[in-house]
Amino acid sequence: MTGDELCIPLFQRLRQDGSLHEGGEEVSLTREKALRIYHTMLFIRVLDERMLAAQRQGRLSFYMQCTGEEATVIGSAAALQDDDMIMAQYREQGALAWRGFSCDEFMNQMFGNERDYGKGRQMPIHYGSRDLNYMTISSPLATQIPQATGYAYGQKLAGKGQCTITIFGEGAASEGDFHAALNMASVHRVPCIFLCRNNGYAISTPSCEQFAADGIAPRAFGYHMQCIRVDGNDVIAVYEATLAARKIAVETNQPVLIEAMTYRLAAHSSSDDPSGYRSKKEEAIWRDKDPILRMRHWLETQGWWSEEEEKATGDQLRREVLESMKRAEKLAPPPLESLITDVYDTPPPLLEAQMEDLKQHIRKYPHAYPKGASSMGFSADEIEQSRKAHQQRQQGGQPA
C-alpha cells in the first residue's frame, strides 16, 4: 500500500452564503454563544488591522495577524472548558480574547510597559495568562507541542476531567517535536488535542514543498490516533469538531489530531511580503471564503444580526482599540531592577554587580537608553540634554 487508498474528507457545516450543508443536523449553538464568537472574531480583525498600522507607523516593533484564520482559532477555543490548557503558537490571539483577555492586556504586552505580565522581556504578540490557562507564547517553532503532551499527562494523573489543546501550523508539523509529541501522547494515552491550522504556507514555503502526503491528518494513523480534517474557515464545523475531540480526550484519555484547512490572508508577519511567493489571484479566491463573512451570513439567516449592528460594533471596537493603544503607550516601562528578577529567589552577587554596571552605563549615556533612564528617574529634559551634549561632542570630534 502507498497510502493513496486513504482519502480523508473535509468536515463542513456552513456554505459561504451562510446556509447549512444538506444532510447535517441543526446547529446546537445558542444565540448568546454564537454572537460572542462573532464579536470575538470582529475584535481580532480590528485589532490586527490597527496594530499592523501601528507597526508601520513605528509605534510597534513587530506584529503577526490572525486574519483569515479567526474561525479555526476562536471556534476551537469556544468548544473548550475554561480550565482546559491552551498552548498556542503565535497567531492565536483570538483564543486568548475568547477567554477574556482585555484589550488593555493585549496592548500592555505589545508595548512592554509596566503592566505587561512579561515585564517587557518578550517581543510583541508573545502573550500569556496564568489566570486564563493560556501558556505564554515561545518564539522557537513547535516547542509547545511536546510540552502539551507532558501537561496533558499531568492532567490525566490529576483526574479532574481537563484536557490540553496545542495549536500549530503545518510548517511546525515538519519539526521533529511534532512526531515525538504525538508518539508520546498516543503511547501514554493523554487527553491532548493537536490542532494543526494548515494555512498553505510555512512563511514562504508552500505546503506542496513541505510534504508529499495528503496533508497532516493522515499522520495520526502512524500513531494509532483518531483524527478529523475540518474546514478551518467554517467556525461551526471547527467548534463541533473540537467539541467531539474534547469528549474523546477527557472521557477515554486518547489524543486527537485535528487538521483545519484555512488560509493566511495577511503576511506571515509585519516583516514579510507575501507578493514574493503567492499571487493576488490566489489571495482573492480565499478572500471570497472569508470566515467572518461566512459567520455573519449565517447569523443574519438566523435573524440574530443586522447591517446596523455590524456598523455599530465595528465603530465601537475601533474606538476601543485606539483608546487602549494610547493608554498603553503613555505607561512607563517596567522597573529596571525587574530585569534580574524571577530567575533566583534572591539575585546572586554576580547579577547584582552586573545590574550596577548597567546602571552606571545608563547614567553615562541616558540619551541612548531613554526607557531605562526614565526608569531610573531621569527626566525628559535630562535625557534631551544628554542627547544634545552627545551631538556636540561628535561634531567637535571628541570621543562619544
Side-chain angles (χ1 to χ4, degrees):
M1 295 178 66
T2 64
D4 293 334
E5 299 81 3
L6 296 174
C7 183
I8 299 179
L10 189 69
F11 176 54
Q12 297 176 295
R13 295 289 270 129
L14 291 180
R15 296 187 179 93
Q16 190 61 30
D17 64 2
S19 62
L20 290 171
H21 283 278
E22 296 177 2
E25 298 178 359
E26 287 299 314
V27 176
S28 59
L29 271 178
T30 64
R31 180 178 187 273
E32 179 184 10
K33 194 163 194 176
L35 289 176
R36 182 184 165 195
I37 288 173
Y38 187 63
H39 187 275
T40 306
M41 294 172 76
L42 289 178
F43 166 70
I44 291 300
R45 183 65 64 91
V46 171
L47 180 71
D48 280 357
E49 290 171 354
R50 295 314 311 159
M51 300 321 295
L52 182 65
Q55 192 278 332
R56 295 295 190 249
Q57 294 166 358
R59 299 162 75 178
L60 196 67
S61 62
F62 179 80
Y63 194 74
M64 299 185 81
Q65 295 178 287
C66 181
T67 305
E69 301 176 58
E70 295 94 345
T72 293
V73 175
I74 298 166
S76 58
L80 304 173
Q81 298 297 311
D82 289 343
D83 56 358
D84 292 334
M85 175 57 72
I86 297 176
M87 293 192 180
Q89 190 160 304
Y90 42 53
R91 213 184 298 281
E92 286 74 42
Q93 50 264 44
L96 196 49
W98 171 263
R99 286 273 171 98
F101 208 63
S102 71
C103 193
D104 282 347
E105 288 176 304
F106 277 111
M107 294 297 172
N108 292 337
Q109 194 285 322
M110 285 186 277
F111 285 96
N113 60 39
E114 60 186 351
R115 295 182 185 173
D116 170 25
Y117 300 138
K119 302 180 182 179
R121 298 166 177 164
Q122 280 274 27
M123 61 194 295
I125 66 92
H126 287 58
Y127 317 107
S129 174
R130 182 191 300 272
D131 292 340
L132 299 178
N133 296 302
Y134 188 100
M135 189 66 71
T136 302
I137 303 301
S138 299
S139 288
L141 195 65
T143 55
Q144 79 278 11
I145 308 177
Q147 291 166 0
T149 295
Y151 197 92
Y153 184 63
Q155 290 173 318
K156 173 184 176 181
L157 297 179
K160 296 180 180 179
Q162 301 163 334
C163 74
T164 293
I165 187 170
T166 179
I167 310 173
F168 49 92
E170 88 287 345
S174 297
E175 296 282 345
D177 284 354
F178 168 85
H179 300 280
L182 266 66
N183 187 58
M184 179 180 173
S186 187
V187 169
H188 291 287
R189 294 176 63 90
V190 304
C192 189
I193 301 171
F194 298 93
L195 174 56
C196 174
R197 41 169 184 73
N198 188 339
N199 62 21
Y201 290 91
I203 308 182
S204 60
T205 305
S207 57
C208 63
E209 295 180 13
Q210 295 180 59
F211 41 79
D214 177 32
I216 305 302
R219 299 183 188 182
F221 303 134
Y223 301 106
H224 199 246
M225 185 183 298
Q226 295 194 53
C227 73
I228 185 171
R229 174 175 287 153
V230 62
D231 183 344
N233 285 18
D234 180 345
V235 69
I236 293 176
V238 173
Y239 172 79
E240 292 181 354
T242 309
L243 206 61
R246 187 186 186 279
K247 181 178 175 65
I248 293 169
V250 300
E251 293 184 3
T252 68
N253 281 322
Q254 293 185 67
V256 180
L257 174 62
I258 301 175
E259 182 180 21
M261 309 305 291
T262 182
Y263 190 82
R264 167 170 53 78
L265 287 175
H268 174 74
S269 73
S270 56
S271 305
D272 175 44
D273 178 11
S275 66
Y277 54 85
R278 66 188 194 191
S279 68
K280 293 294 182 183
K281 181 179 179 181
E282 177 184 308
E283 292 179 6
I285 292 172
W286 280 94
R287 288 192 188 282
D288 290 339
K289 301 177 183 180
D290 189 328
I292 292 182
L293 189 59
R294 190 182 307 192
M295 180 62 168
R296 177 185 173 183
H297 286 160
W298 179 74
L299 290 173
E300 290 174 342
T301 63
Q302 305 301 304
W304 293 350
W305 198 247
S306 66
E307 182 68 33
E308 293 74 20
E309 290 173 301
E310 181 80 13
K311 183 179 186 306
T313 301
D315 291 343
Q316 180 265 325
L317 288 173
R318 280 185 282 274
R319 285 194 302 271
E320 178 186 347
V321 169
L322 287 172
E323 290 170 2
S324 179
M325 180 166 60
K326 291 176 182 177
R327 286 194 296 270
E329 284 181 308
K330 293 177 182 178
L331 291 173
L336 193 63
E337 286 76 8
S338 69
L339 191 63
I340 62 171
T341 59
D342 302 330
V343 179
Y344 299 93
D345 181 42
T346 301
L350 179 60
L351 277 181
E352 295 282 11
Q354 290 176 340
M355 174 57 68
E356 186 54 38
D357 289 343
L358 174 62
K359 288 181 177 179
Q360 289 181 11
H361 183 73
I362 293 175
R363 290 189 191 102
K364 188 175 181 180
Y365 305 105
H367 62 278
Y369 310 95
K371 288 187 176 181
S374 176
S375 176
M376 291 172 57
F378 280 78
S379 67
D381 287 342
E382 289 173 321
I383 295 173
E384 179 61 19
Q385 289 172 9
S386 173
R387 185 188 66 80
K388 290 180 179 178
H390 174 72
Q391 287 181 334
Q392 289 174 355
R393 288 194 298 272
Q394 285 186 316
Q395 292 170 356
Q398 299 178 30

